[in-house]
Amino acid sequence: MGRGKIEIKRIENANNRVVTFSKRRNGLVKKAKEITVLCDAKVALIIFASNGKMTDYCCPSMDLGAMLDQYQKLSGKKLWDAKHENLSNEIDRIKKENDSLQVELRHLKGEDIQSLNLKNLMAVEHAIEHGLDKVRDHQSEIVMTKRRTEKMIVEENRQLHFQLQQQEMAIASNARGMMMRDHDGQFGYRVQPIQPNLQEKIMSLVID
């Protein structure tokens, strides 16, 4: 006795719906893989469950992005608006530019130069010489800056040493002055200024 025909409508029981989805999703992915291998077809499959979980498959010979681009070209349907299309073109341009720079960098390192002709080799040589000139100029600038800095440091040290000597001399002078005042005070020495009358008497005695 054969299986009865299943009516195609939404399964109300949540558990049964999940089980059915899981079985049929796996069946679809299996069929997509089989047709890819058996028929050498390019197949892409995207499934979104009711909870938002995604399942996808794309044949190994073509990535999903290329598959969608081909679909857009053949179907005439616009999957991307102008803004996204321009962004995609800009990304492609940057990738190509990056690839070109990587090739140039390898050439400057002396790698993969067997395919270069004489003109290209001369261009690489010129680029290397130009780069060396810039490196040497920058190196000379660094050396000169270092020398100026060292000279400034030496001059600052000289000035600081001179200021330190001046401070030490001033401290020593102040110390000697304090010691002399303490000594005079200890022995009662006191220098008295000469009074004007006494000075006149001394001068008269000297004249006489």
Side-chain angles (χ1 to χ4, degrees):
M1 184 175 180
R3 295 174 58 185
K5 190 174 181 180
I6 300 176
E7 184 180 1
I8 302 301
K9 67 177 183 177
R10 185 176 185 273
I11 301 173
E12 298 299 332
N13 185 280
N15 292 331
N16 292 341
R17 189 164 59 245
V18 171
V19 172
T20 302
F21 172 80
S22 178
K23 290 181 178 180
R24 299 213 172 198
R25 176 198 60 195
N26 294 339
L28 282 173
V29 174
K30 182 180 178 181
K31 290 296 183 182
K33 292 180 179 179
E34 289 177 353
I35 194 173
T36 299
V37 176
L38 295 174
C39 304
D40 195 22
K42 295 179 175 60
V43 180
L45 177 66
I46 302 175
I47 303 173
F48 292 97
S50 58
N51 59 3
K53 186 177 180 181
M54 183 186 74
T55 301
D56 66 317
Y57 166 78
C58 187
C59 60
S61 61
M62 197 172 191
D63 59 57
L64 185 58
M67 187 84 70
L68 293 174
D69 287 339
Q70 186 173 1
Y71 170 80
Q72 182 176 243
K73 292 177 181 178
L74 296 178
S75 66
K77 296 179 180 179
K78 287 288 185 181
L79 298 178
W80 330 111
D81 56 20
K83 180 179 179 180
H84 288 86
E85 191 169 353
N86 291 335
L87 181 60
S88 178
N89 293 335
E90 182 66 13
I91 292 174
D92 291 339
R93 185 191 67 79
I94 293 174
K95 286 182 178 179
K96 291 179 181 179
E97 185 176 338
N98 182 65
D99 292 340
S100 177
L101 290 175
Q102 291 294 331
V103 172
E104 291 183 10
L105 181 60
R106 289 197 297 272
H107 291 165
L108 292 175
K109 291 180 178 180
E111 302 173 357
D112 302 334
I113 59 175
Q114 291 78 9
S115 60
L116 299 179
N117 56 29
L118 180 60
K119 182 178 180 180
N120 292 334
L121 289 172
M122 291 177 64
V124 171
E125 182 182 13
H126 176 73
I128 293 174
E129 290 177 350
H130 183 66
L132 284 174
D133 290 339
K134 286 189 174 182
V135 170
R136 293 191 183 102
D137 291 341
H138 187 56
Q139 184 179 9
S140 299
E141 183 180 351
I142 292 175
V143 172
M144 293 298 295
T145 302
K146 183 179 180 182
R147 289 177 179 174
R148 287 195 297 267
T149 303
E150 291 175 350
K151 186 176 180 181
M152 291 173 59
I153 293 174
V154 170
E155 180 62 22
E156 289 178 359
N157 288 337
R158 188 188 67 80
Q159 293 180 3
L160 290 173
H161 183 68
F162 176 76
Q163 293 175 5
L164 181 60
Q165 287 182 332
Q166 294 295 318
Q167 291 178 0
E168 290 177 348
M169 292 173 61
I171 292 172
S173 177
N174 292 335
R176 285 195 300 271
M178 293 176 64
M179 291 176 62
M180 291 178 63
R181 286 195 295 273
D182 292 342
H183 183 272
D184 293 344
Q186 182 179 359
F187 291 96
Y189 297 147
R190 186 174 182 181
V191 179
Q192 295 289 345
I194 300 177
Q195 298 179 1
N197 293 334
L198 182 59
Q199 185 177 7
E200 291 178 359
K201 291 181 180 179
I202 294 172
M203 289 298 294
S204 63
L205 290 174
V206 172
I207 293 173
D208 293 340

